[in-house]
Each structure stands twice: as structure tokens, then as C-alpha cells.
Amino acid sequence: MNAVPGSAGPAQRSDSDQDPREALRHAGLDVRPIPRAAEHTPAGLQQAVKQRAVPMIFNGLTDEWPARKSWEPEHLRRTRGQREVTALMGLPTDGVLYPQDQQSYERTLLLAEFIDVMMDETAVAPSYLAYQRAADLLDLSDCDLAALLGPADGPGSDTRVWIGSAGTRSMLHADLKDNLFCQIWGRKTVTLLSWEDSRSAYPFPDNLVNSQIDVAHPDLARFPRLRDATFYSTTVNPGDVVFIPRGCWHDIRSHTPSVSVNHWFGPAQSFTEYLALLARLGPEYWRRTASDFIGHGLFGRREETRFFFSPPSTGKRLYHALRTGNFNHDNDPSA
């Protein structure tokens, strides 16, 4: 294996990829399995999307997809290994924020080299080819999302692929559109919290859709409203699909090297829903929103990227809403 910038030598397995259910239950919090569909079929999924009442897991729904074989890491190495990719290397194994701007972790390398690193069981830090537009790297005909969603899959959808080592973490956050999360290869745990429990998610003061909570290390002294929340958490295996309604907070972390695909679709969450949450969160959030409205909106100062796809600050989004009428101006991945 060639040496790759950002790769690392032997180390102990980090507890950052532990099953968060154990930590949440140990803290005395309410943790339940993600509801399982009564009918594990496209029709059952489409009904769940239509109702948009609760998240739901569908077992084996993608078992017949060609992607289950063609997107395996060894197959990708053989067929697409000479493609250049930009991946996140040497990622932190704890904490919610990156210690540095996301660009500090980015390395350009061959896909084959990246796969060597992600499959290395002795690697000290996670590596992630994350938030990659699937059509730019893979054959989307290998995953028939349109057949799963039927009429629900209208314009404005977007499909992303996530390929990474054990220990990768997409920390607790909320998306503005409905989301299908499909596990292709490997094993991950998906942990959810409803939009109605958003105050218990303790969003960052400058960012209404990223949480300060690490579900694998819940701190009830710092975040006491966690006691009032209900979490849903399940380990997903190859072939499983999780429907995550828009606004539902989700934390996704890998227990093994993994290949996943997600698909955002449907209408975006409304400006009024975000404003209602902002009003409930209180003065600290109002002050920060006003500051960012001026600094990052009016004066256009650069914002750091400290998460996967960090959205603009709430203040900057409010600035765009007043100028363009679109609160999600810079926060829609399909744009």
C-alpha cells in the first residue's frame, strides 16, 4: 500500500464507534428501536413517506440492487481505483466539532489508495469519502431509488455516497428534506431524535441544524433537557433502508468499513418552522443570529466548515431570506 497523506499507524480501536444505545441507556435516557415497517416493500415505503409521521426502517429493501456487489470496496478498487477523489483523512475520534476547518483534513488521492486506508484495521483515525455526489463517482443505475419512491421522488432530489472506515461519524444534525438512508456494505448505527425534541438536541447558537450533543457521550449536567427526549436507535445492515423525515435529528456512525448512499427528496422544511424553533431557543440564540446576520450576511465574512456540509449560520440564512425570499438559499444540496 502506498503511503497516503493523512493516514496513520497502529493504534487501539477508539470508543467513538461504540453503539450509542449503550451510552444513552447507561445515562438513564429513553432509547427505543427505530420503528420497523409492517410491509418491507416499495409500496410500504411510499406509504410511510406519504404519512411522514415517524421514521421507519425497512429490512432488505435493496437486496436486489446491483450496487450491493458493484459498490463493494474491492470491486470499486478494481473498476474505479484510478479515479481521483478528495477524501477526509485523519479525522478526530471524539468531540462534536472538528478541531480545524474541514479543508484541513481534505486530501486528493486515488480511490484505490483511499480504499487501502479505509480497510486498514490498524489505522489510528477514521477516513471518509463523505458527501460525494453519487453520480460523479458511481453508476446510479445500480441503485434504483426512483423505483423505491415512485411518485414521491419529484424534482429537487439529490443523491450522495458515503464510503469510509470504521469509526466514521456524522454527528447529530437535522436535514431540511426527507431522507432515505440506504446501507450498501458494512454496518452502521442510526440514532434519531424528532424535530419536536429540537430543544433537547441543543443546537449550536449559530446553527439550528447541528447539535452540540455527542450521543455516545451524553452529558446530562451540561444538557439536562436530554432527560425529556426520546431517542430511536438501530444498527443497520446491508440491504436496510431508513426513512428519515425532514427535520428529524440523526447521528450515523460506522462499526465497520462501510458504503452507504442517501437520497434527499421532497419539499424543504419551511422558514416558519426554523423561526419557531429560534423563538423557543431564547436570547443567546437571538444575539448570535443578529451578530451573524451582520458579520456573515451584510459584510460577507467567511464562515468555517466544522461539520460535514456545514450550513451557513442562522444569521446568514436569515439575511438571504430577506434578500431572496429563500431561507435555504445556501443549504439545499440539490442546488
Side-chain angles (χ1 to χ4, degrees), residues 97-104 206-207 296 301-307 309-313:
L97 287 168
Y98 289 163
Q100 307 172 67
D101 189 284
Q102 180 172 307
Q103 292 181 351
S104 301
D206 63 337
N207 179 340
H296 300 300
R301 295 176 187 148
R302 181 182 177 274
E303 296 181 308
E304 287 187 306
T305 303
R306 305 292 290 276
F307 310 93
F309 181 55
S310 290
S313 64

Side-chain angles (χ1 to χ4, degrees), residues 290-330:
S291 173
D292 290 339
F293 181 95
I294 296 169
H296 300 300
L298 284 173
F299 292 108
R301 295 176 187 148
R302 181 182 177 274
E303 296 181 308
E304 287 187 306
T305 303
R306 305 292 290 276
F307 310 93
F308 295 129
F309 181 55
S310 290
S313 64
T314 307
K316 186 175 181 181
R317 294 175 71 186
L318 181 59
Y319 172 80
H320 281 308
L322 294 178
R323 289 189 69 238
T324 69
N326 182 8
F327 185 68
N328 297 312
H329 180 271
D330 287 333

Side-chain angles (χ1 to χ4, degrees), residues 48-71:
V49 170
K50 184 178 180 180
Q51 294 175 341
R52 197 182 282 118
V54 294
M56 195 165 291
I57 187 168
F58 296 79
N59 298 126
L61 196 54
T62 66
D63 281 346
E64 302 306 315
W65 278 5
R68 289 288 306 282
K69 293 184 179 179
S70 62
W71 293 6

Side-chain angles (χ1 to χ4, degrees), residues 28-214:
L29 302 181
D30 186 3
V31 187
R32 308 176 188 182
I34 298 173
R36 294 191 178 273
E39 184 181 347
H40 297 264
T41 64
L45 172 60
Q46 292 165 30
Q47 182 63 26
V49 170
K50 184 178 180 180
Q51 294 175 341
R52 197 182 282 118
V54 294
M56 195 165 291
I57 187 168
F58 296 79
N59 298 126
L61 196 54
T62 66
D63 281 346
E64 302 306 315
W65 278 5
R68 289 288 306 282
K69 293 184 179 179
S70 62
W71 293 6
E72 289 181 352
E74 291 304 319
H75 190 271
L76 291 177
R77 189 208 307 269
R78 293 193 304 271
T79 59
R80 299 174 186 266
Q82 296 308 301
R83 293 281 302 274
E84 274 197 348
V85 296
T86 299
L88 302 173
M89 311 298 289
L91 289 171
T93 58
D94 57 13
V96 176
L97 287 168
Y98 289 163
Q100 307 172 67
D101 189 284
Q102 180 172 307
Q103 292 181 351
S104 301
Y105 301 93
E106 292 178 351
R107 305 287 186 272
T108 299
L109 67 169
L110 297 180
L111 180 60
E113 293 176 315
F114 172 78
I115 289 172
D116 285 342
V117 175
M118 71 170 269
M119 298 297 291
D120 182 0
E121 294 182 358
T122 67
V124 66
S127 55
Y128 217 178
L129 182 54
Y131 199 66
Q132 173 79 40
R133 186 162 267 123
D136 293 342
L137 180 64
L138 303 170
D139 185 351
L140 269 183
S141 67
D142 288 348
C143 62
D144 197 352
L145 290 155
L148 289 187
L149 286 169
D153 192 19
S157 62
D158 189 50
T159 306
R160 302 283 173 147
V161 66
W162 308 77
I163 305 174
S165 67
T168 58
R169 305 173 298 145
S170 296
M171 304 296 283
L172 194 65
H173 66 284
D175 293 333
L176 76 156
K177 292 190 174 184
D178 291 332
N179 184 5
L180 281 193
F181 176 82
C182 309
Q183 188 63 13
I184 304 299
W185 188 86
R187 186 166 52 90
K188 288 185 172 181
T189 291
V190 177
T191 302
L192 307 175
L193 184 69
S194 75
W195 177 255
E196 287 70 28
D197 277 333
S198 288
R199 290 186 72 247
S200 297
Y202 288 88
F204 280 91
D206 63 337
N207 179 340
L208 293 185
V209 294
N210 285 97
S211 169
Q212 300 177 70
I213 304 298
D214 181 350

